[in-house]
């Protein structure tokens, strides 16, 4: 275990899967996070001392530099959905990404992997997408041989996409969505982690890769697929963009009125703008095939973790089986 990788945001949804993979590949793993005491679980991904969480603030040069000293590879998984505050879109996704790349180049790091997102565009209406593009540009300017990974919406046991709507389906007969016809290409979280591992270990040609699962579908169809898995019948109701924008403006205003004490976790104006654009792999873009990876389908994974949202939870399969028993 002579090689060291620093993973910024390594305790997050995607980062923890990458940390586990890098540890299993025999690397020492340094997980750079804002709250190391809340990331102690990453130590279990390897043998004693192999995976360690360390304090890091990506808005500070000295903090970022300390975290990457001695590393042969660096992976940046840090992202945010917070448009305000100190850790806003620009500070984290644009300036933070550029800072990591610049200092990694100064320290002589061999390989850098930046986790971005499909839809990153300097001309996008969404600030989230614009800052993702600025972050990519800053990374490539400082570290031209970096690998950029752009996943579509990511699903997995801890996701905030299918889990969120599956939870809602147990509370209401109507499932409201914004942009029901917008297309997504959901990708399994461990497939993204494998792509990061391939890039960080030098098994892939540097460049930009767009990562999407085997199936592209509309938001409406994704919700219907999820409802089938959780065995619930609900009306998927499309909220027009003009109505969604008005609702999001109210939620944003209430958050601003309280000085951020009440965070808008329902719907923001920036999210509405993002939902108006398809989130699928572009024609001709490099992807999983170029990395030698076959992505897992939603049908194979969703039942593995959405079963708890079924009306009978873990007993659903037993009850279905019991229906076939012959009455005595």
């Amino acid at each position: 275990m002579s090689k060291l990788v620093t993973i910024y945001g390594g305790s997050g949804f995607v980062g923890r899967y990458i940390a586990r993979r890098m540890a299993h590949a025999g690397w020492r793993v340094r997980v750079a996070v804002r709250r190391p005491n809340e990331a102690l679980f990453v130590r279990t991904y390897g043998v004693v001392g192999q995976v360690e969480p360390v304090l890091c603030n990506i808005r500070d040069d000295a903090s970022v530099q300390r975290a990457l000293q001695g590393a042969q590879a660096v992976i940046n998984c840090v992202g945010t959905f917070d448009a305000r505050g100190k850790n806003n879109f620009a500070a984290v996704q644009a300036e933070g990404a550029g800072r990591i790349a610049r200092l990694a180049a100064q320290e002589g790091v061999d390989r850098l992997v930046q986790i971005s997102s499909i839809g990153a565009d300097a001309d996008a209406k969404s600030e989230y997408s614009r800052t993702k593009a600025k972050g990519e540009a800053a990374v490539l300017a400082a570290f031209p041989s970096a690998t950029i990974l752009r996943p579509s919406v990511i699903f997995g046991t801890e996701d905030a996409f299918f889990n969120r709507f599956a939870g809602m389906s147990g509370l209401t007969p109507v499932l409201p969505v914004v942009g029901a016809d917008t297309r997504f290409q959901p990708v399994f979280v461990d497939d993204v982690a494998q792509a990061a591992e391939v890039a960080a270990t030098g098994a892939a040609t540097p460049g930009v890769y767009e990562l999407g699962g085997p199936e592209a579908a509309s938001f409406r169809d994704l919700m219907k697929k999820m409802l089938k898995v959780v065995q619930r019948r609900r009306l998927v109701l499309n909220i027009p963009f003009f109505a969604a924008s008005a609702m999001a403006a109210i939620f944003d205003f209430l958050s601003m009125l309280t000085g951020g004490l009440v965070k808008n976790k329902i719907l923001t104006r920036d999210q509405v703008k993002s939902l108006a654009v398809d989130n699928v792999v572009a024609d001709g873009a490099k992807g999983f095939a170029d990395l030698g990876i076959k992505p897992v389908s939603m049908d194979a994974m969703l039942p593995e973790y959405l079963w708890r949202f079924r009306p009978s939870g873990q007993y659903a399969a037993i009850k279905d089986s019991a229906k076939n028993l012959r009455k005595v």
Side-chain angles (χ1 to χ4, degrees):
M1 292 186 290
S2 60
K3 294 183 178 180
L4 169 67
V5 59
T6 296
I7 306 176
Y8 292 91
S11 65
F13 175 36
V14 179
R16 64 183 67 184
Y17 283 82
I18 299 175
R20 185 184 293 113
R21 276 189 166 273
M22 295 301 291
H24 287 181
W27 287 60
R28 289 184 296 124
V29 183
R30 186 180 290 156
V31 175
V33 292
R34 284 188 295 168
R35 301 181 182 90
N37 59 310
E38 296 179 9
L40 297 179
F41 62 89
V42 300
R43 289 179 172 176
T44 62
Y45 295 166
V47 298
V48 176
Q50 184 182 3
V51 184
E52 283 294 331
V54 298
L55 175 67
C56 179
N57 178 359
I58 67 166
R59 293 185 288 108
D60 179 71
D61 277 28
S63 182
V64 171
Q65 189 169 25
R66 281 195 300 271
L68 61 78
Q69 284 181 341
Q72 285 75 47
V74 168
I75 304 172
N76 179 26
C77 305
V78 181
T80 183
F81 291 106
D82 193 351
R84 295 184 176 82
K86 293 181 179 179
N87 294 300
N88 55 42
F89 289 147
V92 172
Q93 298 181 163
E95 297 167 13
R99 178 175 293 107
I100 290 172
R102 171 171 53 82
L103 294 173
Q106 290 179 10
E107 289 292 317
V109 171
D110 295 331
R111 287 176 292 276
L112 172 66
V113 181
Q114 169 72 16
I115 307 296
S116 184
S117 67
I118 286 181
D121 184 352
D123 298 320
K125 293 183 178 179
S126 163
E127 185 181 359
Y128 175 88
S129 298
R130 290 197 304 271
T131 53
K132 281 288 188 181
K134 289 179 181 178
E136 289 184 7
V139 166
L140 292 175
F143 207 111
S145 62
T147 299
I148 308 290
L149 302 180
R150 294 176 176 173
S152 182
V153 60
I154 303 175
F155 70 91
T157 304
E158 307 90 348
D159 73 47
F161 184 69
F162 285 115
N163 277 309
R164 177 183 182 182
F165 289 101
M168 289 172 58
S169 72
L171 303 174
T172 172
V174 178
L175 203 61
V177 298
V178 179
D181 295 321
T182 301
R183 297 173 68 244
F184 295 87
Q185 197 168 346
V187 56
F188 183 49
V189 60
D190 196 49
D191 289 337
V192 177
Q194 185 178 358
E197 177 194 2
V198 169
T201 55
T205 303
V208 178
Y209 296 84
E210 297 199 351
L211 309 180
E215 181 183 357
S218 69
F219 200 166
R220 179 186 288 106
D221 288 341
L222 291 177
M223 292 299 98
K224 290 181 179 179
K225 182 183 288 290
M226 176 274 296
L227 288 169
K228 185 176 180 180
V229 172
V230 300
Q231 301 176 355
R232 296 183 186 273
R233 298 180 64 182
R234 297 290 184 265
L235 172 65
V236 180
L237 178 65
N238 180 46
I239 301 177
F241 285 111
F242 73 88
S245 297
M247 293 168 55
I250 294 173
F251 296 143
D252 281 344
F253 176 74
L254 291 175
S255 178
M256 184 179 65
L257 198 65
T258 60
L261 293 177
V262 177
K263 293 187 177 296
N264 178 8
K265 296 183 179 181
I266 302 175
L267 182 68
T268 69
R269 286 172 291 180
D270 199 76
Q271 288 173 336
V272 173
K273 294 174 183 177
S274 293
L275 288 168
V277 182
D278 286 344
N279 198 268
V280 297
V281 174
D283 293 336
K286 291 195 294 185
F288 279 123
D290 300 280
L291 296 169
I293 300 170
K294 185 177 181 180
V296 177
S297 69
M298 288 181 283
D299 291 337
M301 298 309 304
L302 293 183
E304 294 295 317
Y305 66 95
L306 292 183
W307 54 265
R308 62 188 183 277
F309 296 106
R310 293 170 180 168
S312 301
Q314 68 267 40
Y315 303 109
I318 297 175
K319 292 181 67 175
D320 288 342
S321 178
K323 292 178 183 178
N324 298 321
L325 295 177
R326 185 178 300 174
K327 292 183 178 180
V328 178

